[in-house]
Amino acid sequence: SRAPTSQRRYTLAAHLCQPATFAMHGLSLAIGAAVQKLAALESSDEPAQYAERGRRILRLDVSTLSAAMMAAQVLMWKGRVHWHGALTIGFCMGLKMLCEQSFHVGDMKHVTTRYTLRELLAGEKRACELLLGANRCGITPCSTLRHVNIFRSMLCSLLLESTQILDSMSVTLDAPCPELHVLVLDDDPVVRLAHTEMVRTLEPCARVTAVASVAEAIGAVEQFSGSQPVQLVLLDLDLSGQTADDGWRLPLCLSEDPRSGLTLANQIDPLMAAEPRTDYRAKPLVAVVSGAISQPSHLRAVCNRGADVAVAKPLKLRALKVMIDASGAADIIG
């Protein structure tokens, strides 16, 4: 079985044997969109390609790549550092924050030779100062991990809202992901079937568990927690089984009513993991897919109540690919 993310080791072993062409990872595209916005660039292509280069050569998982962009954002925003340098230093910071095995800044020569070792070390020092200054209460290991998790979801949401970038992305996954386990929760059997088929279109080897109620969903998460944990949840908000106008449905869906799908999102507790301080990624990525969502304020309201990301129905294949990538299911690069 696949080793937990927290037990994987950093390695540069395969950086010289990557294929010449590949599908861009969703989080690399998201970083491109974020850098474009922060640096007021005309296109997100160059930063997205650089993020993908760093991801592949340094073999960064989703959490480490998210941590890299979290550090890069602070450098760009408060330190006025050029995006390329900020992201380079971000790679170093992400690896040092989340990897168990030591990482040497000199290894960045495999990614870029644009900066001297002295410049990179100075950049790391500046990033630490800015990150500590951004959190007046002090950054503990636990809070850092939670911040990274939240930041990953924000990057994912940014890409899902960037229609032009999303429409141009490839829906091909890097490599087969037999470890991928998706939980589909929807009271409509047609939607359950459609979402199941979409997952298998992208990843034929994936396990898909489709259920109609919160109780069944919680049972599935618990049942497979030790063998093949659920990594992505596709969750409907309205499980009432009734058709109503959005003005009635959304307040119900955002409440603690048991017919609200958010009941599941709030009951999947990462503190139930065997190592709650480091194994926080045991919590699946919770993606709400709902017809009750019709405007950006709805997306924010849903994400403030337990979901990681949210999109309106019907679910698009490219949006699903972003969610699979963000779930970390394909973190092992072939």
Side-chain angles (χ1 to χ4, degrees):
S1 61
R2 186 184 181 190
T5 304
S6 60
Q7 295 178 10
R8 293 183 211 153
R9 302 284 181 177
Y10 166 72
T11 174
L12 285 173
H15 79 273
L16 294 178
C17 58
Q18 298 301 327
T21 60
F22 49 81
M24 184 83 72
H25 193 278
L27 206 64
S28 297
L29 286 169
I31 287 175
V35 170
Q36 180 187 18
K37 189 173 182 179
L38 284 166
L41 303 179
E42 292 185 2
S43 170
S44 65
D45 290 349
E46 190 176 356
Q49 290 167 5
Y50 188 55
E52 182 70 5
R53 176 177 173 80
R55 183 186 80 88
R56 287 179 164 268
I57 291 177
L58 299 173
R59 300 178 69 81
L60 307 179
D61 66 14
V62 162
S63 297
T64 309
L65 192 56
S66 299
M69 184 57 206
M70 188 170 72
Q73 175 180 265
V74 175
L75 284 167
M76 293 173 63
W77 181 34
K78 291 186 175 292
R80 306 299 179 187
V81 177
H82 185 272
W83 72 262
H84 191 279
L87 197 50
T88 302
I89 296 164
F91 291 150
C92 300
M93 295 294 295
L95 284 164
K96 289 185 175 181
M97 278 194 282
L98 297 181
C99 282
E100 295 178 347
Q101 193 168 338
S102 61
F103 166 77
H104 301 287
V105 176
D107 287 332
M108 286 305 300
K109 65 185 178 184
H110 297 292
V111 181
T112 180
T113 56
R114 186 180 296 190
Y115 311 101
T116 66
L117 181 60
R118 185 185 297 270
E119 288 173 327
L120 291 175
L121 291 172
E124 279 192 340
K125 181 180 178 181
R126 180 62 175 148
C128 288
E129 292 170 350
L130 291 171
L131 284 169
L132 288 170
N135 188 337
R136 295 184 183 276
C137 298
I139 298 180
T140 66
C142 186
S143 67
T144 299
L145 293 171
R146 291 187 181 279
H147 290 162
V148 169
N149 202 22
I150 293 168
F151 199 80
R152 173 214 57 186
S153 299
M154 292 173 63
L155 285 171
C156 186
S157 296
L158 175 63
L159 179 57
L160 291 172
E161 294 170 10
S162 304
T163 307
Q164 185 176 358
I165 299 174
L166 193 64
D167 288 346
S168 65
M169 72 179 289
S170 168
V171 295
T172 304
L173 294 181
D174 262 350
C177 303
E179 300 89 353
L180 175 62
H181 187 180
V182 180
L183 174 64
V184 177
L185 172 57
D186 200 294
D187 58 345
D188 187 335
V190 175
V191 174
R192 291 199 300 273
L193 178 60
H195 289 178
T196 297
E197 290 303 314
M198 290 177 72
V199 171
R200 288 182 175 148
T201 296
L202 287 172
E203 183 44 69
C205 298
R207 177 193 290 271
V208 182
T209 303
V211 297
S213 70
V214 171
E216 290 177 288
I218 292 174
V221 171
E222 294 175 349
Q223 177 186 351
F224 294 104
S225 61
S227 55
Q228 191 174 3
V230 173
Q231 292 155 312
L232 172 63
V233 179
L234 300 179
L235 175 71
D236 187 21
L237 276 180
D238 182 6
L239 301 175
S240 64
Q242 300 177 2
T243 302
D245 59 59
D246 291 344
W248 176 86
R249 291 172 66 195
L250 196 61
L252 166 70
C253 295
L254 298 180
S255 71
E256 295 182 1
D257 191 293
R259 294 172 294 175
S260 167
L262 287 178
T263 305
L264 172 65
N266 290 310
Q267 290 191 36
I268 304 177
D269 188 355
L271 296 179
M272 293 173 65
E275 300 177 21
R277 289 181 64 84
T278 59
D279 198 17
Y280 74 107
R281 287 159 283 195
K283 179 180 182 294
L285 179 78
V286 178
V288 166
V289 185
S290 174
I293 296 173
S294 60
Q295 52 187 293
S297 62
H298 295 170
L299 299 175
R300 291 190 293 272
V302 169
C303 291
N304 286 339
R305 287 168 173 80
D308 293 304
V309 296
V311 295
K313 283 182 178 178
L315 177 62
K316 297 180 180 178
L317 202 62
R318 287 181 172 84
L320 178 58
K321 199 269 186 182
V322 172
M323 294 170 187
I324 291 175
D325 282 351
S327 74
D331 275 347
I332 298 299
I333 302 170

